[in-house]
Amino acid sequence: MNILDLRCEYRLNPLGIDVRKPRLSWILASSRRGARQTAYQIAAALDDVYILQGKPLLWDSGKIESDQSIQVPYDGPELQSRQRVYWRVRVWDEDDHASEWSSPAWFEMGLLDSDDWGAQWIGNPLVGGPRSPVPSPFFRKEFSTGGELQSARLYITSLGIYEASINGIRVGEDVFAPGWTDYDKRIHYQTYDVTNNLENGLNVIGVIIGDGWYCGHIAWQGRQIYGDRPKLFAQLEIRLTDGSIQTITTDETWGTNVGPILESDLLMGEAYDARLELSSWNLPSRSGRGVEGWSPAVSFPHPEGAVLVAQNTVPVRAQEELTPIAEPTLLWGWPNHDWIFDFGQNLVGRVRLKVRGERGKTILLRYGEMLDENGTLYTENLRSARQTDYYTLKGDPDGETYESRFTFHGFRYVQVNGLTETPTSDLLTAIVLHSDNSNAIEFECSDPLVNQLQHNIRWGWKGNSVDVPTDCPQRDERLGWTGDGQVFVKTATYLTHSASFFTKWIQDLADAQFDYGAIPSVAPVIPSLKKSDGGAAWSDAFIIVPWTVWQQYGDRRILETHYDAMCRYMDYLTENSPGLIRMLPGEKELIKGKEDEQIGGYGDWLAQDGSSDRRGLTPKDLIGTAFLAYDAKLMAQIASAIDKTDDADRFKQLFKDTRSAFIKRFITSDGLVVGQTQTAYILALYFDLVPEDLHSIISAALLKDIEVTRKTHMSTGFVGTPYLTQVLTDIGRVDLAYALLLQKSFPSWLYSVIHGATTIWERWDGWTEENGFQDPGMNSFNHYAYGAVGTWMVENITGIRTDPKNPGFKHILLRPVITSEMSFARCAYQSPYGPIRSHWYTEENAMIWEVSVPANTTATAQIPIRAGTQIHEDALPIEESPGVTFIRKTPELAVYKLQAGSYKFEIGK
Ligand code: BGC
């Protein structure tokens, strides 16, 4: 067995972590059937030579009889600040044969104690106002090394978003660091290995800070939400060959200045005047005394109550580049020349402009997702987000290049104004920015429209994972809406390695929790939503998201970390749900004793059920009570996963009681569900809130509404849609689930696809043939929520799903739901144990199904059959196939347990 992909806290060789007992994982690769681990041994050392020679060791786990190969906590001596720990692992297989040692990996600790920091917060004297931005400050510090360099680390963060350089060379590749947290509570710092940036002798560290989330616009709230100006906090530690450490920290000896970035704002855009560039500002001055025109930085106290913690998530990075799909078109020629560039893909990021022109002339770049019927850029849906960059040329005869630093836009089209010559398409390149959640899936099926839908789901996730999972990336919102996040989280885990990303966001939710236990509708929370309970299906993200991360990654620690806070949330819900009927306020502060008047929440947001209200027709208290029951059910599983048996019993009881309350209040004895909307039926069925004897009546009512009343269309909004196709599959109507998936007429997933969508739209009716664009006040073309059908697609079309009883894909359920609508489907999914593959296709009279089960896991395969179907595996009758054990048979399914390995089933007549 080969041991690959050694990770620590989900990352490859993470630098600067502050987890005291970091978790280690590895992947076992073997083509042998039944390959599994029966024991492991981890060795750790403080030096890369020591680890290879096996001594001296910091920690030797010894041989541990265990099949655990993910989420294994480091258990050696207490880790110290700055320590770099090299580790490797070997395993014993099912025959007790020891493997070779793996290649070593490492992790490095950051600064664990506040005493480790000697830096001060510094800023520039210039302050803007709630409406008036000021130029982005520059900071520089010149210093000489006190001896010969060995290695160096930069520990750095800012309030605002920074870009650092040493001797003119950019430090790292991260974009928008330190990202968005509630800065009043928590500030992430980053650690960089800057050994190669430094020279022996004179050096300069330079940092530019944009307003970012700290003091730029957030949503509709104006500027300066957290503070009045950007600030910097940095500590450069240089280890010299004589063993001494030289430390350079931010303080008032740093110089500050302003330069070409006249405005930088995440929502509004950037204004850059290249004539104001500060030449050589981040290079050592000849004199060593600095450069002229810089004033001393001003120091500030540490923000009270905020903890400095090591970044625990993946950084935002430039991920790919796109070029326009055609030559630009001239929109109008007078009084200005306006050109439209089309990137063919609704994306999130910035552009690189390569241009030559007259000094002092300004080029305007305006970004939008759509064109209107006149071919003009459609920007009404951006609301107050200006999404415009201005670049003023310095007039370089060789041409000049501009890329914004501290803003991002949601766009497919760019309108360029201010050019004096006819441009060609190479004027602009689009740079796609998002959190570095690496791809986890290859998915393809025989239906090109479904493949386009999958593409759109993926791009919706790319654009809405910019440090925080956001609702949309373009208008003046871009918030971590809890409802959207819980709806999409599982699909996100099927698209990318998302565990660190959500670990960070769950902490944002915990930071946003009110002292009385409620959870708001956005995290990080913003001032206008600071006092309102997020309401059903929104605030429940605090239970659903950690539960999902545990299910998909086997991460128990996330449950342990937040368990008490989750219990406080549950207490708050039950205390405020009289008779276990949940009627929580959505946008108002909860007033005890007046709950009845405050039935709120966002309902079944944007449902197409005939309601004139965005909140849909499904009663809010029905949604609330259904989610209370669901939370209780998940909490029972969570409590037992972390060995809190008494609590598990308590939550099981709470589920039962809430279920009874739900049935009593919302279901009549002849099977009528209050509201009679698709979402009401779906929630009752999916959350197991239907009395056994009424199951078929309620299912029939749902089917009737879909098939007869709405002629095979859904009417569901954010709340019902994610479960719709799964409920239909569970009640034996997978044909109808497929019919809805493949439905092309409005409202449907494919309606936007056949009208050229390249991302998921916020609304089913974002644009329709009949009415054109929806209300621009609420019409994003890049909103991932309805993309949550992606989970059903992976789990049913290709048949790969986690087994709730064995989280993290330790045991895999394989069950493709074959349809005559498709002739093949294939998927390779990178699970925590390695790639799981499922590929089915039809061949003459047989169906072929190839699967791979990673080493150290097992699977249950449910093979679709009809009467008399013969099954062969690799040309042998299945009964004789090694690694396959028969479990049971029904008229439609033959069920087998599979050991790890690759299989080819031939399912014939
Ligand atoms: C957001 C949604 C969000 C909703 C709450 C909207 O403005 O874009 O996606 O969940 O508000 O109802």
Side-chain angles (χ1 to χ4, degrees):
M1 259 187 305
N2 282 322
I3 308 175
L4 309 171
D5 206 38
L6 272 65
R7 284 176 186 257
C8 170
E9 289 297 315
Y10 297 111
R11 286 180 276 165
L12 294 168
N13 301 334
L15 178 63
I17 58 169
D18 60 5
V19 181
R20 308 274 171 150
K21 287 198 177 285
R23 293 160 300 171
L24 310 174
S25 68
W26 52 92
I27 285 181
L28 301 171
S30 167
S31 55
R32 197 173 63 239
R33 288 227 178 140
R36 66 194 164 90
Q37 170 188 309
T38 54
Y40 69 82
Q41 180 178 14
I42 300 172
L46 292 175
D47 189 287
D48 55 349
V49 177
Y50 299 165
I51 192 72
L52 288 176
Q53 64 197 21
K55 61 182 185 203
L57 291 180
L58 172 71
W59 173 49
D60 181 352
S61 72
K63 181 176 176 184
I64 308 276
E65 310 280 343
S66 164
D67 65 353
Q68 192 179 354
S69 56
I70 64 169
Q71 311 280 1
V72 181
Y74 164 85
D75 201 22
E78 194 180 332
L79 295 164
Q80 311 294 320
S81 291
R82 308 176 179 84
Q83 230 167 25
R84 178 176 285 207
V85 177
Y86 295 85
W87 65 284
R88 61 180 184 170
V89 60
R90 63 174 171 160
V91 302
W92 283 261
D93 68 12
E94 64 281 9
D95 299 320
D96 206 29
H97 288 139
S99 71
E100 298 288 315
W101 283 100
S102 69
S103 308
W106 54 263
F107 57 89
E108 185 175 306
M109 303 308 285
L111 304 182
L112 302 180
D113 299 303
S114 47
D115 294 353
D116 289 321
W117 291 96
Q120 289 174 32
W121 287 95
I122 57 170
N124 182 285
L126 214 54
V127 200
R131 305 261 161 237
S132 46
V134 290
S136 298
F138 284 54
F139 299 90
R140 79 188 296 279
K141 170 78 184 176
E142 198 154 334
F143 60 92
S144 277
T145 47
E148 204 177 322
L149 275 168
Q150 189 182 323
S151 63
R153 296 287 179 272
L154 176 62
Y155 304 95
I156 181 170
T157 187
S158 66
L159 292 166
I161 46 184
Y162 69 84
E163 193 181 290
S165 56
I166 292 180
N167 300 327
I169 303 164
R170 191 165 171 349
V171 173
E173 295 164 21
D174 302 350
V175 177
F176 308 144
W180 188 14
T181 50
D182 183 342
Y183 305 113
D184 294 331
K185 297 196 169 155
R186 182 177 307 276
I187 303 167
H188 282 170
Y189 69 86
Q190 289 71 43
T191 306
Y192 299 100
D193 181 346
V194 291
T195 312
N196 294 331
N197 297 56
L198 289 168
E199 306 282 341
N200 286 314
L202 211 52
N203 291 275
V204 166
I205 173 165
V207 184
I208 318 172
I209 314 187
D211 291 351
W213 295 275
Y214 180 73
C215 56
H217 285 87
I218 293 184
W220 53 83
Q221 306 259 260
R223 300 180 72 249
Q224 299 183 327
I225 303 299
Y226 296 97
D228 64 3
R229 73 188 93 189
K231 293 173 193 128
L232 173 65
F233 190 80
Q235 180 156 315
L236 173 63
E237 296 187 355
I238 307 166
R239 185 176 293 272
L240 303 171
T241 45
D242 65 7
S244 62
I245 307 272
Q246 183 183 358
T247 308
I248 311 291
T249 54
T250 40
D251 59 23
E252 288 180 351
T253 66
W254 286 52
T256 183
N257 203 349
V258 292
I261 308 175
L262 299 179
E263 179 182 2
S264 83
D265 189 282
L266 293 171
L267 299 182
M268 300 302 165
E270 199 165 279
Y272 189 98
D273 188 337
R275 296 170 302 179
L276 303 177
E277 280 172 357
L278 303 166
S279 69
S280 312
W281 71 279
N282 52 2
L283 297 177
S285 62
R286 266 190 222 130
S287 65
R289 282 195 302 275
V291 283
E292 291 203 359
W294 289 63
S295 44
V298 189
S299 71
F300 293 89
H302 181 78
E304 215 185 301
V307 290
L308 263 185
V309 294
Q311 170 162 322
N312 62 351
T313 180
V314 289
V316 177
R317 296 249 167 100
Q319 304 283 351
E320 58 195 292
E321 300 195 352
L322 300 182
T323 49
I325 55 170
E327 288 305 317
T329 50
L330 182 64
L331 194 56
W332 41 55
W334 188 90
N336 296 305
H337 293 277
D338 276 281
W339 297 88
I340 296 274
F341 288 71
D342 177 3
F343 287 95
Q345 172 64 50
N346 196 13
L347 66 99
V348 173
R350 58 184 178 219
V351 294
R352 184 183 310 121
L353 165 74
K354 281 196 172 161
V355 67
R356 199 174 39 209
E358 189 188 320
R359 184 177 172 83
K361 226 176 152 27
T362 296
I363 297 190
L364 181 145
L365 303 158
R366 179 91 164 111
Y367 302 79
E369 295 178 291
M370 301 287 255
L371 299 181
D372 65 17
E373 59 278 15
N374 307 319
T376 317
L377 196 70
Y378 178 73
T379 54
E380 282 88 329
N381 68 336
L382 304 178
R383 306 199 307 219
S384 72
R386 207 172 60 224
Q387 271 216 150
T388 306
D389 298 328
Y390 301 91
Y391 178 74
T392 303
L393 291 143
K394 59 188 163 196
D396 188 329
D398 297 330
E400 42 206 284
T401 303
Y402 165 68
E403 232 178 85
S404 68
R405 276 195 179 81
F406 301 128
T407 189
F408 67 86
H409 311 295
F411 64 100
R412 170 176 168 167
Y413 302 94
V414 186
Q415 183 168 336
V416 184
N417 171 278
L419 299 171
T420 39
E421 287 166 26
T422 299
T424 49
S425 63
D426 57 3
L427 185 92
L428 296 184
T429 308
I431 297 159
V432 179
L433 302 172
H434 56 85
S435 283
D436 203 11
N437 297 314
S438 56
N439 181 41
I441 201 168
E442 302 301 330
F443 172 100
E444 196 192 357
C445 67
S446 56
D447 189 320
L449 293 178
V450 174
N451 292 335
Q452 181 66 36
L453 176 64
Q454 169 75 8
H455 169 101
N456 295 2
I457 294 171
R458 188 188 285 261
W459 276 86
W461 174 231
K462 287 183 185 186
N464 285 297
S465 51
V466 179
D467 205 50
V468 166
T470 54
D471 57 334
C472 57
Q474 73 298 81
R475 68 172 176 237
D476 57 356
E477 198 143 3
R478 314 185 188 188
L479 298 171
W481 282 96
T482 48
D484 309 42
Q486 72 84 2
V487 160
F488 194 73
V489 58
K490 194 168 184 194
T491 304
T493 67
Y494 277 128
L495 294 170
T496 59
H497 295 282
S498 309
S500 318
F501 183 85
F502 283 105
T503 301
K504 184 260 179 196
W505 192 54
I506 293 164
Q507 186 61 55
D508 292 338
L509 287 168
D511 287 345
Q513 186 172 30
F514 307 151
D515 49 9
Y516 56 91
I519 295 285
S521 49
V522 298
V525 70
I526 59 169
S528 67
L529 296 171
K530 252 193 181 141
K531 290 203 167 161
S532 40
D533 177 305
W538 266 252
S539 57
D540 302 307
F542 197 43
I543 309 294
I544 297 168
V545 177
W547 176 82
T548 307
V549 171
W550 165 58
Q551 284 282 303
Q552 299 295 93
Y553 299 102
D555 189 332
R556 286 179 43 185
R557 190 174 283 174
I558 207 136
L559 307 178
E560 286 160 355
T561 307
H562 298 290
Y563 186 72
D564 291 344
M566 289 155 85
C567 287
R568 272 192 288 124
Y569 172 66
M570 292 303 290
D571 290 345
Y572 160 77
L573 287 188
T574 45
E575 278 163 24
N576 291 286
S577 300
L580 296 178
I581 299 300
R582 178 177 170 196
M583 302 179 287
L584 292 174
E587 287 160 333
K588 282 176 251 130
E589 192 173 1
L590 180 79
I591 303 165
K592 285 230 163 104
K594 288 202 162 186
E595 293 87 351
D596 272 356
E597 298 161 35
Q598 296 183 62
I599 298 174
Y602 300 102
D604 186 20
W605 191 244
L606 302 179
Q608 279 291 329
D609 57 10
S611 159
S612 53
D613 180 352
R614 288 170 185 164
R615 289 168 164 77
L617 292 176
T618 309
K620 321 275 182 307
D621 50 356
L622 182 148
I623 299 177
T625 309
F627 272 87
L628 174 59
Y630 188 49
D631 289 343
K633 185 191 257 183
L634 302 187
M635 281 303 283
Q637 294 176 26
I638 288 169
S640 72
I642 59 171
D643 305 321
K644 307 232 180 221
T645 335
D646 291 353
D647 284 6
D649 292 342
R650 184 164 64 86
F651 285 120
K652 269 184 208 147
Q653 192 57 45
L654 178 61
F655 170 72
K656 279 192 196 146
D657 296 344
T658 313
R659 183 176 188 274
S660 306
F662 182 94
I663 292 173
K664 200 163 145 220
R665 172 83 163 241
F666 302 113
I667 303 185
T668 66
S669 55
D670 47 6
L672 210 66
V673 179
V674 168
Q676 298 181 61
T677 58
Q678 291 181 13
T679 292
Y681 298 127
I682 289 166
L683 295 184
L685 289 164
Y686 190 80
F687 294 162
D688 183 19
L689 305 175
V690 165
E692 198 49 44
D693 56 331
L694 298 180
H695 201 276
S696 55
I697 302 181
I698 291 174
S699 305
L702 171 64
L703 297 174
K704 187 174 166 218
D705 192 88
I706 297 172
E707 290 185 291
V708 183
T709 315
R710 296 178 198 275
K711 306 200 167 39
T712 314
H713 290 95
M714 77 259 266
S715 66
T716 48
F718 276 31
V719 172
T721 307
Y723 311 119
L724 166 65
T725 40
Q726 193 58 54
V727 164
L728 293 175
T729 308
D730 293 344
I731 61 180
R733 288 300 309 275
V734 70
D735 61 314
L736 188 54
Y738 271 112
L740 289 180
L741 183 76
L742 303 177
Q743 177 61 270
K744 294 194 194 67
S745 61
F746 174 82
S748 68
W749 284 284
L750 294 188
Y751 185 77
S752 65
V753 170
I754 59 173
H755 287 100
T758 55
T759 38
I760 300 290
W761 295 351
E762 174 175 28
R763 312 179 77 134
W764 298 120
D765 58 353
W767 180 92
T768 58
E769 280 161 306
E770 257 184 9
N771 302 321
F773 290 114
Q774 244 288 5
D775 167 12
M778 188 88 198
N779 201 19
S780 137
F781 291 96
N782 196 355
H783 233 76
Y784 55 46
Y786 288 138
V789 70
T791 294
W792 183 86
M793 287 161 56
V794 173
E795 293 188 342
N796 293 276
I797 301 180
T798 74
I800 296 175
R801 66 181 82 182
T802 187
D803 171 4
K805 296 202 178 69
N806 290 283
F809 296 89
K810 180 75 174 127
H811 181 76
I812 303 151
L813 301 181
L814 295 170
R815 185 192 175 176
V817 192
I818 311 299
T819 165
S820 55
E821 306 281 353
M822 296 204 186
S823 59
F824 78 86
R826 72 169 138 244
C827 178
Y829 175 62
Q830 293 291 332
S831 80
Y833 292 93
I836 304 169
R837 293 195 181 83
S838 169
H839 178 194
W840 63 264
Y841 49 98
T842 42
E843 211 170 62
E844 289 168 17
N845 276 338
M847 184 187 109
I848 312 293
W849 184 27
E850 296 172 23
V851 301
S852 305
V853 178
N856 206 28
T857 70
T858 50
T860 300
Q862 303 200 355
I863 304 180
I865 50 166
R866 287 191 214 132
T869 303
Q870 302 285 318
I871 309 173
H872 287 81
E873 194 285 306
D874 200 17
L876 289 176
I878 189 161
E879 296 72 29
E880 292 167 31
S881 168
V884 181
T885 319
F886 175 75
I887 302 181
R888 69 190 154 84
K889 209 171 199 164
T890 69
E892 292 96 35
L893 289 173
V895 184
Y896 296 89
K897 178 157 180 185
L898 306 184
Q899 301 300 320
S902 294
Y903 300 83
K904 184 172 179 181
F905 300 108
E906 198 179 311
I907 305 151
K909 288 251 154 147

